[in-house]
Amino acid sequence: MSEPAGDLTWIDAALTAARPQALAALLRYFRDLDMAEEAFQEACLRALKTWPQNGPPRDPTAWLILVGRNVAIDETRHRARQQPLPDGDALPDADDKEAELAERLDAQHYRDDVLRLLFICCHPDLPATQQIALALRIVSGLSVKQIARAFLVGESAMEQRITRAKGRIARADVAFETPGAVERAARLAAVAAMIYLVFNEGYSASGDGAAMRLPLCDEAIRLARLLLRLFPAEPEIMGLTALLMLQHARTPARFDADGAVVLLEDQDRGRWNRAMITEGLALIDKAVRHRRRGPYQVQAAIAALHARAAQPQETDWAQIDLLYAALEELAPSPVVTLNRAVAVAKLRGPAAALAMIEPLAGPLNGYFHFFGLKGALLMRLGRDAEARTAFDRAIALANSAAEAAHIRQHLDQLAKEGRAGVANSE
Amino acid sequence: MLYALLCYNDEAAVCAWSKDEENAVMAKLGAVTEKLAKQGRLGPVARLVPTTAATTLRKDRNPPLVIDGPFAETKEQLLGFFVIDCASLEHALETARELGAANPGGAYEIRPILQFWPGSAGT
C-alpha cells in the first residue's frame, strides 16, 4: 500500500507513540538520561530519512531502540578511531534478525523500563512543577518551548528549570534492577500521582491561559493510557484514566465565550465529549469488578455519576455523598469533606452543609473554594452580611480573574436584591 | 457479497494522533464512506474504544473466566470495522485501498461475511 507522498504524519505519530518505550529501553542500556535522549534523537532523525523510502518497519519501537543503540556505539567507536560512520542505508530493516532479537529482549523489560522512566521524574526532592515539566520533556517529548507556553513562563526560564531538575535526578540513585512487587507498587503510585498533577496543571487553568494549558490534559491522558497498557489489570490505573477522561470530557462546556467559569449544573451537557465519557465509563466499570477500591476509582465513580446524568436534576447526589464518605476514609482531606458538603447541600439543605464545613475553617483558611461555598450556603440561608464577608475573602484568594469574576456575580446579586440584613431563609 | 473490513492498527500510534490529525483522517474516511453509501454498498461501521477498556470472557472453562483486555499480546489491535457490499475479492481490495489511502498505517483484514443480521440497536 502506498503512503500519500509527502505526508509524514504517520511517522510523527509512530515516533511519538514509540518514544516512552524506546527511550526507556535506551536508558536501561546506557544508564544515563542524556545519552539515552541523544541516541533516541539520532534514531528519530534516521527514521525520518529512511522510513519514507522503505516504509515503516514492522516494529518501529524495536527499530528505534536498535538504531539508537548502534548509533551511540558507533559514535563511541568513531570518537576512538576517527573513522567515518557507516552509511545510513546500511541500517537494519524490518526483517533484520537483530531487530527481532532486540524486540524479544526488550519486551520482557519494557514495562519496568517505562515505569522507571516515569518514576525518575517523580523524585521527591523535585517540586511538583519540576516533576511535571520533566515528565513532559522526557516522557512526552514536548519541546521546551511548548512546555514554557503551557506554564506561561519564558523559554529560557523553563530551559533552566528543566536542566536543574535533570541535574537533580542525575545525582539521584535510581535502581536499574527489575523492581520487586512492593517497589513496583510504590513506583506506580508515585507515577499515578505525577500524572494527576500534569492533568490538574492543565485542568485548573482558567481565563487567558486556559487554552495554552489544555494540551497538558491531553498529555496526562496519553500518559495514563500508556501506564494502563503496561498494567492492564490495575484497577487504580483504570480509575485514574477514567477520572481524567470523565473530567476532561466536560472541558468544551466549562467556560463561556468570555472565558468565565460555567458551573457543572449550568453546563450545556450536549457539549460534553461523548467519546471520552464512553471510554471513561467503560474503564470505571472494569475497575469496580476487581473489588479493590482506591481513591482514583472513587473519584472516577463520582465523575461517572455526573457524566451519566443527562440533566443536572437527574444527578444521584445520595450516591455521590456515599462515595465522598468512602473517599474521606481512603484519603481523608479537608478538600474532600468540602466537596462532600456540596452533595450534602443538595440532599439535606444548606444548613447541614454549613455545619459540615465549619470545622474546616482552620485547615482551609487560605482556600478559595472554601469561602466560595461558604458564601453560597450563607446566601441561601439569607445570612447575607456573613455571605458577603465570605465572598470578599474568596475574591482575595481567587487564583484567576475568572474565579474572582464568578464570585463577583454573587456579590452583585446580593446588592441587586438589596437583601442586606434581611433574613430570607429557604 | 458482504465483506467485513477489520481495521487493525497500533493503538498507541492512533492514540498519539493530535486532534487535527484525527479530524483530517476522519474527514478523508468520511468522503470515501459517503461515496460507498451513495452506491448503496455501505453496511454498519464501528469504531471501538481502545483495548485498555476491553474485557474478555474466556468460555473454554466452567465457570467462564473474566480477564482484563484482549487475550493476545499483539502489536496491532482491532480498532473497528466496516461492512461493505463488494462484487468480488478484487472489488473488496480496491475499496480497502481507497479507505487505506485515507487512513495510513496498520492493516485491513478482509473477511467475506457468512451470515449477517443487520439488527436495529443504535439506529
Side-chain angles (χ1 to χ4, degrees):
Chain A
M1 193 183 73
S2 63
E3 304 293 349
D7 182 5
L8 298 181
T9 302
W10 62 274
I11 297 188
D12 263 353
L15 295 180
T16 308
R19 181 185 172 97
Q21 196 183 324
L23 189 58
L26 291 168
L27 175 64
R28 174 163 48 79
Y29 188 72
F30 295 118
R31 308 205 165 191
D32 180 284
L33 189 56
D34 284 332
M35 270 183 88
E37 280 193 300
E38 272 170 40
F40 179 74
Q41 208 56 42
E42 190 57 39
C44 287
L45 289 176
R46 301 211 175 187
L48 285 169
K49 217 172 92 186
T50 56
W51 291 7
Q53 298 160 21
N54 306 349
R58 195 175 42 80
D59 185 341
T61 309
W63 191 97
L64 289 165
I65 294 169
L66 191 70
V67 171
R69 216 144 72 176
N70 289 349
V71 163
I73 293 166
D74 288 344
E75 184 70 17
T76 317
R77 281 189 201 136
H78 175 61
R79 277 187 200 137
R81 294 194 223 144
Q82 295 295 310
Q83 277 177 357
L85 281 171
D87 190 59
D89 296 335
L91 288 166
D93 61 28
D95 299 322
D96 196 295
K97 286 210 169 59
E98 273 187 288
E100 275 174 44
L101 179 67
E103 178 192 344
R104 255 208 317 281
L105 286 176
D106 287 318
Q108 298 168 2
H109 292 286
Y110 82 91
R111 197 175 78 145
D112 288 321
D113 285 346
V114 177
L115 185 59
R116 180 183 304 112
L117 185 68
L118 285 158
F119 181 67
I120 58 172
C121 304
C122 309
H123 195 279
D125 286 353
L126 295 177
T129 50
Q130 288 193 17
Q131 292 187 14
I132 298 169
L134 210 52
L136 293 172
R137 179 69 203 98
I138 296 175
V139 188
S140 303
L142 298 191
S143 69
V144 173
K145 192 175 174 183
Q146 285 172 306
I147 302 168
R149 201 161 49 194
F151 279 87
L152 312 173
V153 299
E155 207 174 323
S156 61
M158 183 51 74
E159 180 85 64
Q160 276 181 13
R161 204 185 281 182
I162 290 174
T163 308
R164 265 205 305 274
K166 271 190 181 174
R168 208 81 162 268
I169 59 168
R171 290 191 299 275
D173 220 11
V174 179
F176 279 89
E177 304 83 64
T178 302
V182 174
E183 173 64 15
R184 187 179 288 131
R187 287 183 181 189
L188 201 50
V191 167
M194 183 270 290
I195 293 174
Y196 194 45
L197 281 176
V198 173
F199 182 82
N200 268 331
E201 199 61 34
Y203 198 72
S204 60
S206 59
D208 295 340
M212 303 275 214
R213 306 183 83 161
L214 274 177
L216 295 181
C217 295
D218 295 320
E219 237 7 272
I221 288 174
R222 193 173 295 172
L223 290 173
R225 272 213 181 100
L226 168 71
L227 206 54
L228 188 57
R229 272 197 299 274
L230 298 175
F231 298 91
E234 279 296 328
E236 271 295 82
I237 304 304
M238 296 176 202
L240 172 71
T241 314
L243 175 62
L244 304 191
M245 288 183 174
L246 291 170
Q247 285 193 289
H248 196 33
R250 298 183 207 141
T251 294
R254 286 178 62 220
F255 299 101
D256 67 15
D258 303 323
V261 180
V262 182
L263 290 182
L264 185 56
E265 56 186 14
D266 301 324
Q267 288 175 10
D268 174 0
R269 296 183 178 216
R271 299 180 65 191
W272 286 359
N273 184 326
R274 296 320 302 182
M276 264 189 209
I277 289 176
T278 302
E279 191 169 350
L281 293 179
L283 285 172
I284 191 63
D285 277 356
K286 267 181 77 168
V288 167
R289 288 198 67 261
H290 285 262
R291 304 196 182 285
R292 272 166 46 207
R293 207 161 64 172
Y296 294 121
Q297 291 170 73
V298 174
Q299 291 176 80
I302 293 167
L305 286 171
H306 288 302
R308 285 196 159 108
Q311 301 295 326
Q313 54 273 23
E314 291 168 22
T315 311
D316 188 348
W317 289 108
Q319 193 62 36
I320 290 176
D321 180 32
L322 286 176
L323 286 167
Y324 272 121
L327 195 55
E328 280 181 317
E329 270 178 41
L330 283 168
S333 108
V335 173
V336 171
T337 307
L338 187 72
N339 283 318
R340 188 180 175 194
V342 175
V344 166
K346 297 280 181 192
L347 286 170
R348 295 195 284 281
L354 196 61
M356 186 170 221
I357 68 164
E358 249 148 22
L360 307 178
L364 295 183
N365 185 34
Y367 193 57
F368 164 79
H369 293 287
F370 172 75
F371 291 98
L373 178 62
K374 188 179 175 189
L377 293 172
L378 287 165
M379 195 168 137
R380 282 180 60 194
L381 288 166
R383 291 156 65 176
D384 290 7
E386 290 165 273
R388 198 168 287 118
T389 309
F391 284 142
D392 284 341
R393 181 93 180 104
I395 286 178
L397 292 167
N399 305 299
S400 68
E403 280 183 356
H406 183 74
I407 297 295
R408 243 173 243 115
Q409 286 177 359
H410 290 312
L411 283 172
D412 290 349
Q413 201 184 331
L414 282 176
K416 197 159 57 195
E417 293 171 11
R419 287 174 21 175
V422 182
N424 180 17
S425 62
E426 289 178 38
Chain B
M1 195 194 315
L2 288 178
Y3 285 83
L5 269 59
L6 308 178
C7 318
Y8 285 87
N9 205 342
D10 179 357
E11 193 167 87
V14 172
C15 287
W17 284 350
S18 70
K19 278 198 188 74
D20 290 344
E21 286 160 359
E22 160 97 23
N23 292 342
V25 168
M26 286 303 139
K28 282 193 251 171
L29 274 180
V32 181
T33 50
E34 200 178 319
K35 198 181 90 183
L36 293 170
K38 274 194 190 134
Q39 297 168 351
R41 297 172 51 211
L42 187 68
V45 179
R47 183 173 178 186
L48 307 176
V49 169
T51 52
T52 40
T55 305
T56 300
L57 185 81
R58 291 289 329 168
K59 53 199 178 53
D60 50 4
R61 65 203 76 193
N62 198 14
L65 182 68
V66 180
I67 48 179
D68 291 305
F71 199 60
E73 277 234 0
T74 48
K75 289 281 167 204
E76 292 182 339
Q77 293 79 28
L78 177 65
L79 303 188
F81 61 84
F82 301 88
V83 173
I84 297 168
D85 193 4
C86 304
S88 64
L89 174 60
E90 278 312 313
H91 192 201
L93 280 166
E94 187 189 310
T95 307
R97 280 191 197 98
E98 262 185 83
L99 287 164
N103 179 14
Y108 287 132
E109 181 177 319
I110 298 162
R111 300 275 291 267
I113 291 180
L114 189 61
Q115 289 179 309
F116 180 67
W117 295 269
S120 60
T123 53

